[in-house]
């Protein structure tokens, strides 16, 4: 779910679509075909493009027209998506490839692939904008990988427990939360 003003964009894996919802009227405005199994989604800061993952790609939706603009292969089984505050970088967790793809959305072009480790299974991603850090929830190995977004280098891995799939950072960057499918938070 990603909200912009009075609209929310929801990636629906079950219907292979992006749902555009009017949050004031609680009404579906559009159901946009999104390829196989769309999952993660994030709006750019300007609110003009929605970046979402599907089976093996990152796709770009022009929100003014609800038309698919572009797609790029980012690795096997991509899940989470995060966009930096300037809209110049999109970070995609590719679980099946054990990597994070750093994408320049204007192409889109992959600028860097960051390996998160064999068997890590990255799923969730969250940006800490004040500290220029990307936090990655690795479901398979239970680690949160911390990446410096200035250098695209792994800073450290933090044990968080088996099966984690979601990660969030507070607005000041002082706390990072990881959650698993059983409702536990680390």
């Amino acid at each position: 779910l990603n909200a912009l003003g009075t609209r929310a964009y929801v990636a629906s894996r079950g219907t292979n679509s992006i749902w555009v919802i009017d949050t004031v009227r609680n009404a579906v405005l559009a159901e946009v075909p999104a390829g196989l199994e769309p999952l993660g989604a994030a709006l750019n800061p300007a609110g003009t493009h929605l970046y979402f993952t599907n089976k093996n790609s990152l796709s770009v939706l022009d929100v003014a027209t609800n038309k698919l603009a572009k797609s790029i292969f980012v690795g096997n089984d991509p899940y989470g998506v995060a966009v930096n505050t300037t809209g110049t970088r999109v970070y995609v967790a590719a679980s099946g490839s054990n990597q994070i793809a750093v994408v320049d959305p204007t192409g889109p072009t992959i600028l860097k692939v960051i390996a998160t480790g064999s068997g890590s299974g990255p799923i969730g991603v969250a940006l800490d904008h004040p500290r220029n850090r990307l936090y990655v929830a690795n479901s398979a190995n239970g680690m949160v990988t911390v990446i410096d977004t200035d250098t695209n280098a792994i800073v450290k891995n933090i044990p968080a427990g088996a099966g984690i799939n979601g990660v969030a950072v507070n607005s000041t960057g002082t706390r990072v939360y990881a959650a698993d499918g059983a409702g536990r938070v680390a």
Side-chain angles (χ1 to χ4, degrees):
L1 171 72
N2 279 276
L4 174 67
T6 61
R7 293 203 174 148
Y9 298 86
V10 181
S12 174
R13 189 175 189 178
T15 62
N16 293 322
S17 59
I18 299 292
W19 292 65
V20 183
I21 300 169
D22 180 324
T23 59
V24 174
R25 296 182 299 136
N26 291 325
V28 175
L29 298 174
E31 182 180 351
V32 182
L36 290 175
E37 302 176 4
L39 287 169
L43 280 167
N44 69 345
T48 57
H49 293 91
L50 179 76
Y51 302 99
F52 65 92
T53 58
N54 49 31
K55 193 62 178 165
N56 288 317
S57 65
L58 173 71
S59 295
V60 183
L61 179 74
D62 181 326
V63 300
T65 62
N66 286 334
K67 301 286 184 204
L68 187 64
K70 315 165 193 179
S71 291
I72 183 173
F73 176 79
V74 290
N76 297 322
D77 300 321
Y79 282 84
V81 180
V83 182
N84 70 358
T85 57
T86 58
T88 58
R89 297 290 177 269
V90 178
Y91 300 89
V92 184
S95 183
S97 299
N98 298 308
Q99 68 187 32
I100 300 298
V102 182
V103 178
D104 174 350
T106 59
T109 306
I110 294 179
L111 299 172
K112 175 83 174 169
V113 173
I114 304 165
T116 55
S118 178
S120 58
I123 292 182
V125 290
L127 280 165
D128 171 3
H129 300 290
R131 291 186 171 73
N132 297 328
R133 298 285 190 255
L134 178 73
Y135 293 90
V136 181
N138 295 303
S139 182
N141 70 7
M143 296 286 196
V144 172
T145 298
V146 183
I147 297 171
D148 181 320
T149 59
D150 290 329
T151 64
N152 292 323
I154 293 175
V155 175
K156 62 182 162 183
N157 285 296
I158 304 166
I164 60 168
N165 54 39
V167 63
V169 182
N170 70 0
S171 62
T172 59
T174 56
R175 299 256 186 224
V176 177
Y177 305 91
D180 66 15
R184 294 180 296 258
V185 177

